[in-house]
Amino acid sequence: SARNIIILGNGGIALELAHLLTFCNIDWIIKDNYIGSAFFDATSSDFIKPLLNHRITLNNNIQREYKPSTNATINSNHLSNASLGPNWDVKSDLLNQLPEEIRNNNGYLHIHYNQQLNGYYDSKSCKWFDSNHNIIEVNDNTIDLSMYPIYIITDTNNIIGADFIISATGVIP
């Protein structure tokens, strides 16, 4: 039932989520001036950007078949190939479990370049906090803060509301 999701980060997880979550609006906050900077140069990024901007409904998504790896082994002393891997969405069948009326939605993707999280608004306390949970002052008089349960402010003073935030910033290549 999410109307708007904020994705923080510019790595592989953020890229895949921006591509897969077509059923709602996405505000994608990246600190770089092009997408996928951990994997691509700016020219390669420009090549894949149209694929992300072409938002399709999940019901019209290209169907992929999951083929399990024959190299995966598990024993008590060693676990190999334990990451989610490139077909996690197909293996989990998570997206197909969404109600059809949600799968038929087609939201927008807005990429906010050269921005980072500066703080967030907690609707329960009606206060703004920085990433260390210290109260900060924000001029939010022009924003209706009752539309979403959480808001963020970026270091460029861009205020964005969402139903929830996905932080995909934790992996260092």
PDB file of all heavy atoms in Angstrom, residues 93-110:
ATOM      1  N   ASP A  93       9.821 -14.941  -5.232  1.00  0.00           N
ATOM      2  CA  ASP A  93       8.448 -14.776  -5.704  1.00  0.00           C
ATOM      3  C   ASP A  93       7.716 -13.709  -4.894  1.00  0.00           C
ATOM      4  O   ASP A  93       6.496 -13.680  -4.839  1.00  0.00           O
ATOM      5  CB  ASP A  93       7.691 -16.110  -5.661  1.00  0.00           C
ATOM      6  CG  ASP A  93       6.467 -16.092  -6.569  1.00  0.00           C
ATOM      7  OD1 ASP A  93       6.540 -15.491  -7.660  1.00  0.00           O
ATOM      8  OD2 ASP A  93       5.431 -16.655  -6.165  1.00  0.00           O
ATOM      9  N   LEU A  94       8.455 -12.824  -4.265  1.00  0.00           N
ATOM     10  CA  LEU A  94       7.887 -11.800  -3.401  1.00  0.00           C
ATOM     11  C   LEU A  94       6.962 -10.849  -4.159  1.00  0.00           C
ATOM     12  O   LEU A  94       5.863 -10.540  -3.695  1.00  0.00           O
ATOM     13  CB  LEU A  94       9.024 -11.007  -2.738  1.00  0.00           C
ATOM     14  CG  LEU A  94       8.631  -9.914  -1.782  1.00  0.00           C
ATOM     15  CD1 LEU A  94       7.928 -10.507  -0.567  1.00  0.00           C
ATOM     16  CD2 LEU A  94       9.856  -9.130  -1.348  1.00  0.00           C
ATOM     17  N   LEU A  95       7.394 -10.396  -5.332  1.00  0.00           N
ATOM     18  CA  LEU A  95       6.604  -9.420  -6.070  1.00  0.00           C
ATOM     19  C   LEU A  95       5.291 -10.008  -6.574  1.00  0.00           C
ATOM     20  O   LEU A  95       4.287  -9.314  -6.655  1.00  0.00           O
ATOM     21  CB  LEU A  95       7.425  -8.844  -7.219  1.00  0.00           C
ATOM     22  CG  LEU A  95       8.693  -8.091  -6.790  1.00  0.00           C
ATOM     23  CD1 LEU A  95       9.481  -7.643  -7.998  1.00  0.00           C
ATOM     24  CD2 LEU A  95       8.359  -6.930  -5.887  1.00  0.00           C
ATOM     25  N   ASN A  96       5.277 -11.297  -6.881  1.00  0.00           N
ATOM     26  CA  ASN A  96       4.041 -11.924  -7.340  1.00  0.00           C
ATOM     27  C   ASN A  96       3.020 -12.105  -6.217  1.00  0.00           C
ATOM     28  O   ASN A  96       1.860 -12.400  -6.472  1.00  0.00           O
ATOM     29  CB  ASN A  96       4.330 -13.269  -7.999  1.00  0.00           C
ATOM     30  CG  ASN A  96       4.938 -13.091  -9.361  1.00  0.00           C
ATOM     31  OD1 ASN A  96       4.659 -12.129 -10.056  1.00  0.00           O
ATOM     32  ND2 ASN A  96       5.797 -14.018  -9.741  1.00  0.00           N
ATOM     33  N   GLN A  97       3.459 -11.943  -4.976  1.00  0.00           N
ATOM     34  CA  GLN A  97       2.533 -12.065  -3.850  1.00  0.00           C
ATOM     35  C   GLN A  97       1.788 -10.764  -3.560  1.00  0.00           C
ATOM     36  O   GLN A  97       0.888 -10.746  -2.733  1.00  0.00           O
ATOM     37  CB  GLN A  97       3.288 -12.545  -2.616  1.00  0.00           C
ATOM     38  CG  GLN A  97       3.827 -13.949  -2.797  1.00  0.00           C
ATOM     39  CD  GLN A  97       4.585 -14.435  -1.589  1.00  0.00           C
ATOM     40  OE1 GLN A  97       4.280 -14.074  -0.466  1.00  0.00           O
ATOM     41  NE2 GLN A  97       5.582 -15.271  -1.813  1.00  0.00           N
ATOM     42  N   LEU A  98       2.156  -9.700  -4.249  1.00  0.00           N
ATOM     43  CA  LEU A  98       1.433  -8.438  -4.084  1.00  0.00           C
ATOM     44  C   LEU A  98       0.052  -8.554  -4.714  1.00  0.00           C
ATOM     45  O   LEU A  98      -0.112  -9.228  -5.736  1.00  0.00           O
ATOM     46  CB  LEU A  98       2.197  -7.300  -4.759  1.00  0.00           C
ATOM     47  CG  LEU A  98       3.522  -6.905  -4.130  1.00  0.00           C
ATOM     48  CD1 LEU A  98       4.270  -5.947  -5.051  1.00  0.00           C
ATOM     49  CD2 LEU A  98       3.300  -6.277  -2.771  1.00  0.00           C
ATOM     50  N   PRO A  99      -0.949  -7.881  -4.157  1.00  0.00           N
ATOM     51  CA  PRO A  99      -2.277  -7.896  -4.785  1.00  0.00           C
ATOM     52  C   PRO A  99      -2.217  -7.331  -6.209  1.00  0.00           C
ATOM     53  O   PRO A  99      -1.406  -6.451  -6.504  1.00  0.00           O
ATOM     54  CB  PRO A  99      -3.112  -6.993  -3.870  1.00  0.00           C
ATOM     55  CG  PRO A  99      -2.372  -6.950  -2.579  1.00  0.00           C
ATOM     56  CD  PRO A  99      -0.930  -7.138  -2.908  1.00  0.00           C
ATOM     57  N   GLU A 100      -3.070  -7.833  -7.071  1.00  0.00           N
ATOM     58  CA  GLU A 100      -3.038  -7.443  -8.485  1.00  0.00           C
ATOM     59  C   GLU A 100      -3.229  -5.942  -8.675  1.00  0.00           C
ATOM     60  O   GLU A 100      -2.592  -5.333  -9.535  1.00  0.00           O
ATOM     61  CB  GLU A 100      -4.101  -8.208  -9.273  1.00  0.00           C
ATOM     62  CG  GLU A 100      -4.008  -7.958 -10.765  1.00  0.00           C
ATOM     63  CD  GLU A 100      -4.915  -8.872 -11.560  1.00  0.00           C
ATOM     64  OE1 GLU A 100      -5.443  -9.840 -11.013  1.00  0.00           O
ATOM     65  OE2 GLU A 100      -5.076  -8.575 -12.753  1.00  0.00           O
ATOM     66  N   GLU A 101      -4.082  -5.315  -7.859  1.00  0.00           N
ATOM     67  CA  GLU A 101      -4.306  -3.873  -8.029  1.00  0.00           C
ATOM     68  C   GLU A 101      -3.036  -3.070  -7.741  1.00  0.00           C
ATOM     69  O   GLU A 101      -2.826  -2.005  -8.302  1.00  0.00           O
ATOM     70  CB  GLU A 101      -5.473  -3.364  -7.168  1.00  0.00           C
ATOM     71  CG  GLU A 101      -5.287  -3.492  -5.673  1.00  0.00           C
ATOM     72  CD  GLU A 101      -5.765  -4.822  -5.099  1.00  0.00           C
ATOM     73  OE1 GLU A 101      -6.077  -5.751  -5.857  1.00  0.00           O
ATOM     74  OE2 GLU A 101      -5.813  -4.917  -3.860  1.00  0.00           O
ATOM     75  N   ILE A 102      -2.157  -3.603  -6.902  1.00  0.00           N
ATOM     76  CA  ILE A 102      -0.873  -2.933  -6.646  1.00  0.00           C
ATOM     77  C   ILE A 102       0.094  -3.232  -7.779  1.00  0.00           C
ATOM     78  O   ILE A 102       0.792  -2.340  -8.265  1.00  0.00           O
ATOM     79  CB  ILE A 102      -0.297  -3.354  -5.275  1.00  0.00           C
ATOM     80  CG1 ILE A 102      -1.172  -2.789  -4.165  1.00  0.00           C
ATOM     81  CG2 ILE A 102       1.152  -2.887  -5.122  1.00  0.00           C
ATOM     82  CD1 ILE A 102      -0.785  -3.231  -2.781  1.00  0.00           C
ATOM     83  N   ARG A 103       0.135  -4.476  -8.240  1.00  0.00           N
ATOM     84  CA  ARG A 103       1.045  -4.832  -9.343  1.00  0.00           C
ATOM     85  C   ARG A 103       0.721  -4.048 -10.607  1.00  0.00           C
ATOM     86  O   ARG A 103       1.585  -3.813 -11.435  1.00  0.00           O
ATOM     87  CB  ARG A 103       0.970  -6.331  -9.630  1.00  0.00           C
ATOM     88  CG  ARG A 103       1.632  -7.190  -8.581  1.00  0.00           C
ATOM     89  CD  ARG A 103       1.877  -8.606  -9.076  1.00  0.00           C
ATOM     90  NE  ARG A 103       0.768  -9.223  -9.755  1.00  0.00           N
ATOM     91  CZ  ARG A 103      -0.126 -10.052  -9.187  1.00  0.00           C
ATOM     92  NH1 ARG A 103      -0.006 -10.355  -7.915  1.00  0.00           N
ATOM     93  NH2 ARG A 103      -1.092 -10.573  -9.890  1.00  0.00           N
ATOM     94  N   ASN A 104      -0.525  -3.627 -10.786  1.00  0.00           N
ATOM     95  CA  ASN A 104      -0.927  -2.890 -11.981  1.00  0.00           C
ATOM     96  C   ASN A 104      -0.590  -1.407 -11.909  1.00  0.00           C
ATOM     97  O   ASN A 104      -0.724  -0.699 -12.898  1.00  0.00           O
ATOM     98  CB  ASN A 104      -2.422  -3.056 -12.237  1.00  0.00           C
ATOM     99  CG  ASN A 104      -2.750  -4.438 -12.756  1.00  0.00           C
ATOM    100  OD1 ASN A 104      -1.940  -5.070 -13.421  1.00  0.00           O
ATOM    101  ND2 ASN A 104      -3.937  -4.920 -12.438  1.00  0.00           N
ATOM    102  N   ASN A 105      -0.183  -0.909 -10.743  1.00  0.00           N
ATOM    103  CA  ASN A 105       0.210   0.497 -10.617  1.00  0.00           C
ATOM    104  C   ASN A 105       1.507   0.746 -11.365  1.00  0.00           C
ATOM    105  O   ASN A 105       2.310  -0.152 -11.559  1.00  0.00           O
ATOM    106  CB  ASN A 105       0.392   0.886  -9.145  1.00  0.00           C
ATOM    107  CG  ASN A 105      -0.920   0.967  -8.405  1.00  0.00           C
ATOM    108  OD1 ASN A 105      -1.984   1.050  -9.001  1.00  0.00           O
ATOM    109  ND2 ASN A 105      -0.837   0.942  -7.095  1.00  0.00           N
ATOM    110  N   ASN A 106       1.699   1.990 -11.749  1.00  0.00           N
ATOM    111  CA  ASN A 106       2.914   2.376 -12.445  1.00  0.00           C
ATOM    112  C   ASN A 106       3.353   3.722 -11.897  1.00  0.00           C
ATOM    113  O   ASN A 106       2.816   4.746 -12.266  1.00  0.00           O
ATOM    114  CB  ASN A 106       2.660   2.447 -13.949  1.00  0.00           C
ATOM    115  CG  ASN A 106       3.939   2.468 -14.744  1.00  0.00           C
ATOM    116  OD1 ASN A 106       5.017   2.293 -14.196  1.00  0.00           O
ATOM    117  ND2 ASN A 106       3.822   2.677 -16.034  1.00  0.00           N
ATOM    118  N   GLY A 107       4.300   3.712 -10.971  1.00  0.00           N
ATOM    119  CA  GLY A 107       4.745   4.940 -10.320  1.00  0.00           C
ATOM    120  C   GLY A 107       5.893   5.608 -11.056  1.00  0.00           C
ATOM    121  O   GLY A 107       6.457   5.069 -11.999  1.00  0.00           O
ATOM    122  N   TYR A 108       6.242   6.801 -10.590  1.00  0.00           N
ATOM    123  CA  TYR A 108       7.354   7.532 -11.192  1.00  0.00           C
ATOM    124  C   TYR A 108       8.661   7.201 -10.483  1.00  0.00           C
ATOM    125  O   TYR A 108       8.678   6.704  -9.359  1.00  0.00           O
ATOM    126  CB  TYR A 108       7.105   9.046 -11.174  1.00  0.00           C
ATOM    127  CG  TYR A 108       7.138   9.666  -9.789  1.00  0.00           C
ATOM    128  CD1 TYR A 108       8.351   9.931  -9.137  1.00  0.00           C
ATOM    129  CD2 TYR A 108       5.967  10.011  -9.138  1.00  0.00           C
ATOM    130  CE1 TYR A 108       8.389  10.498  -7.881  1.00  0.00           C
ATOM    131  CE2 TYR A 108       5.995  10.579  -7.874  1.00  0.00           C
ATOM    132  CZ  TYR A 108       7.208  10.822  -7.255  1.00  0.00           C
ATOM    133  OH  TYR A 108       7.239  11.378  -6.013  1.00  0.00           O
ATOM    134  N   LEU A 109       9.766   7.484 -11.137  1.00  0.00           N
ATOM    135  CA  LEU A 109      11.100   7.386 -10.563  1.00  0.00           C
ATOM    136  C   LEU A 109      11.741   8.753 -10.687  1.00  0.00           C
ATOM    137  O   LEU A 109      11.907   9.275 -11.793  1.00  0.00           O
ATOM    138  CB  LEU A 109      11.952   6.345 -11.305  1.00  0.00           C
ATOM    139  CG  LEU A 109      13.431   6.285 -10.914  1.00  0.00           C
ATOM    140  CD1 LEU A 109      13.592   5.854  -9.460  1.00  0.00           C
ATOM    141  CD2 LEU A 109      14.192   5.357 -11.843  1.00  0.00           C
ATOM    142  N   HIS A 110      12.064   9.367  -9.544  1.00  0.00           N
ATOM    143  CA  HIS A 110      12.738  10.661  -9.541  1.00  0.00           C
ATOM    144  C   HIS A 110      14.087  10.484  -8.868  1.00  0.00           C
ATOM    145  O   HIS A 110      14.155  10.107  -7.700  1.00  0.00           O
ATOM    146  CB  HIS A 110      11.897  11.703  -8.804  1.00  0.00           C
ATOM    147  CG  HIS A 110      12.496  13.073  -8.864  1.00  0.00           C
ATOM    148  ND1 HIS A 110      12.143  14.065  -7.999  1.00  0.00           N
ATOM    149  CD2 HIS A 110      13.427  13.613  -9.683  1.00  0.00           C
ATOM    150  CE1 HIS A 110      12.839  15.157  -8.278  1.00  0.00           C
ATOM    151  NE2 HIS A 110      13.615  14.898  -9.298  1.00  0.00           N
TER     152      HIS A 110
END
